[in-house]
Amino acid sequence: MWYNATLQPSYMIDDGQQDFSFTGLNPDVIANGLAQVGVNPQSGLLALNSYENRVYQYLADDNQRYVAKFYRPARWSDAQILEEHAFCAELAAAEVPAVAPLVLAGQTLHTYQGYRFAVFPSVGGRAVEPGDLGQLERIGRQIGRLHAVAQQGQFQHRPTLSFQEFVTDSMTTLQATELLPRNLQPAFWAIIEPLVDYLRTVKWDSFTTQRLHGDCHLGNMLLRDEQLTFVDFDDARSGVAVQDLWMMLAGDDRYERTLQLQALVDGYEEFCEFDKNQTQLIEPLRSFRIIHYMAWLARRWNDEAFRRAFPWFAEQRYWEQQILTLKEQFAAVQEEPIDLEPNFNR
């Protein structure tokens, strides 16, 4: 699909051999790092809901709230992080509501005792309700605005969403993990391997790619005073446009999902043309996410924060449910894709 071997040298492949830990990141290190760039928290550091990185909200001496994001060591190169920052700044300059890092001491990326971090303005808001067609059309409009800017340039350092990373590398991790119960292994491999074989047949290279948010779901959009704001571009990468749309769909009813996607596309096409052939990639991309998510948890299992947050990952019932999910997903990828009619009656 979108795999580009030239990206490999700069992309920090998580092969289990690198130190991805935060063992040395204590409150003194955080406070001293912020002080180094002229930031003086006047409140305690409130840890926000983030597992891949460490993210803290605080009240500064200017009586404004900010968020400090400490990047997981060895995951991204400096060039990749700076490209994420530049993309956010480009969107903000085009008046697309996206939270961009602050420029402090002349730069956005800072380092203290080996930890890289950035400071962002704190943006409040509430989560968007799933399934609301009017809201989905509005979200589609905002994603269309984002993509209109994204299509004006290309990433040079960020990775491209690929079968290699999301499936092949994930399968290697799952084959090595000891967390998959031995008694469930035959059933697990009997369903995931045919799914992977099917995903390999998808003609990924026939679709145009572009810059993306990369992890565009309702949890990464905030609604406040009727304004929708994009947050968390940590997984920004190149890929097909529908990657930033499909995670907005809710529920299992095909008719309802068709209505939802049509609402998204109606809003989207006010700013960008949508290739409706990409609807055939929705279920394969969902498969990518299911497989990659299992591997991500397995890779991070030595991080105590993951064990506390996802204790069920090591339980028999989780893997039993995953076998059922994979069976359903294998059936889903073989169904006809959603058909968006130009005059679909909503």
Side-chain angles (χ1 to χ4, degrees), residues 20-22 51-52 54 72 299-308:
F20 287 82
S21 72
F22 288 98
Y51 303 106
E52 191 62 13
R54 296 294 185 266
R72 182 172 288 272
R299 290 178 186 133
R300 297 289 185 256
W301 196 242
N302 289 332
D303 185 329
E304 187 59 35
F306 276 71
R307 297 191 181 202
R308 290 195 303 269

Side-chain angles (χ1 to χ4, degrees), residues 39-288:
V39 174
N40 299 296
Q42 299 300 298
S43 67
L45 297 169
L46 174 64
L48 300 183
N49 187 24
S50 177
Y51 303 106
E52 191 62 13
N53 304 296
R54 296 294 185 266
V55 182
Y56 305 93
Q57 184 187 70
Y58 59 89
L59 184 69
D61 52 7
D62 62 359
N63 208 36
Q64 298 295 313
R65 293 193 180 277
Y66 297 93
V67 170
K69 173 181 177 181
F70 285 77
Y71 288 87
R72 182 172 288 272
R75 180 167 180 253
W76 297 118
S77 68
D78 287 357
Q80 289 170 321
I81 295 174
L82 289 171
E83 198 163 49
E84 171 206 338
H85 292 181
F87 185 39
C88 292
E90 187 180 346
L91 291 169
E95 299 185 346
V96 176
V99 180
L102 300 173
V103 178
L104 302 172
Q107 56 192 31
T108 58
L109 182 61
H110 315 283
T111 303
Y112 184 76
Q113 292 194 6
Y115 290 101
R116 293 169 299 171
F117 68 95
V119 178
F120 299 79
S122 177
V123 177
R126 59 181 174 84
V128 180
E129 291 295 324
D132 183 284
L133 298 184
Q135 199 68 267
L136 285 170
E137 184 169 349
R138 186 177 175 190
I139 290 171
R141 195 174 297 119
Q142 292 290 62
I143 297 174
R145 292 180 63 200
L146 187 157
H147 283 191
V149 175
Q151 290 171 7
Q152 296 174 19
Q154 296 181 340
F155 286 138
Q156 300 300 316
H157 304 286
R158 305 292 295 186
T160 300
L161 185 61
S162 69
F163 181 90
Q164 174 70 36
E165 177 195 352
F166 276 71
V167 180
T168 303
D169 293 347
S170 294
M171 288 290 283
T172 299
T173 298
L174 293 171
Q175 288 162 355
T177 186
E178 297 180 356
L179 295 168
L180 173 59
R182 192 178 301 274
N183 66 308
L184 295 179
Q185 289 181 14
F188 181 82
W189 297 115
I191 185 58
I192 198 172
E193 288 176 348
L195 176 58
V196 168
D197 288 342
Y198 181 89
L199 296 175
R200 193 177 286 110
T201 69
V202 177
K203 299 186 184 300
W204 302 106
D205 291 335
S206 64
F207 295 94
T208 301
T209 62
Q210 61 170 72
R211 293 185 294 178
L212 301 171
H213 179 286
D215 191 29
C216 195
H217 55 74
L218 293 179
N220 280 335
M221 300 191 76
L222 294 176
L223 178 62
R224 183 177 184 181
D225 297 331
E226 299 307 309
Q227 175 168 288
L228 285 163
T229 301
F230 294 102
V231 299
D232 193 5
F233 283 76
D234 195 63
D235 286 303
R237 61 188 66 223
S238 299
V240 289
V242 75
Q243 169 64 14
D244 277 353
L245 293 170
W246 75 263
M247 281 183 275
M248 301 294 168
L249 307 181
D252 297 322
D253 183 272
R254 184 179 177 85
Y255 177 72
E256 289 298 323
R257 289 163 64 83
T258 303
L259 289 174
Q260 292 170 27
L261 183 58
Q262 186 66 61
L264 279 168
V265 171
D266 284 349
Y268 184 90
E269 290 199 316
E270 292 185 26
F271 296 91
C272 270
E273 182 178 355
F274 178 68
D275 176 7
K276 294 179 175 59
N277 289 323
Q278 289 191 16
T279 62
Q280 66 187 274
L281 301 179
I282 291 175
E283 293 307 326
L285 287 169
R286 190 189 311 279
S287 303
F288 272 32

Side-chain angles (χ1 to χ4, degrees), residues 316-333:
Q316 172 105 358
R317 60 181 178 176
Y318 168 77
W319 294 98
E320 290 173 344
Q321 182 59 50
Q322 288 306 100
I323 291 170
L324 293 176
T325 297
L326 290 167
K327 287 180 179 178
E328 293 170 355
Q329 195 55 32
F330 187 42
V333 295

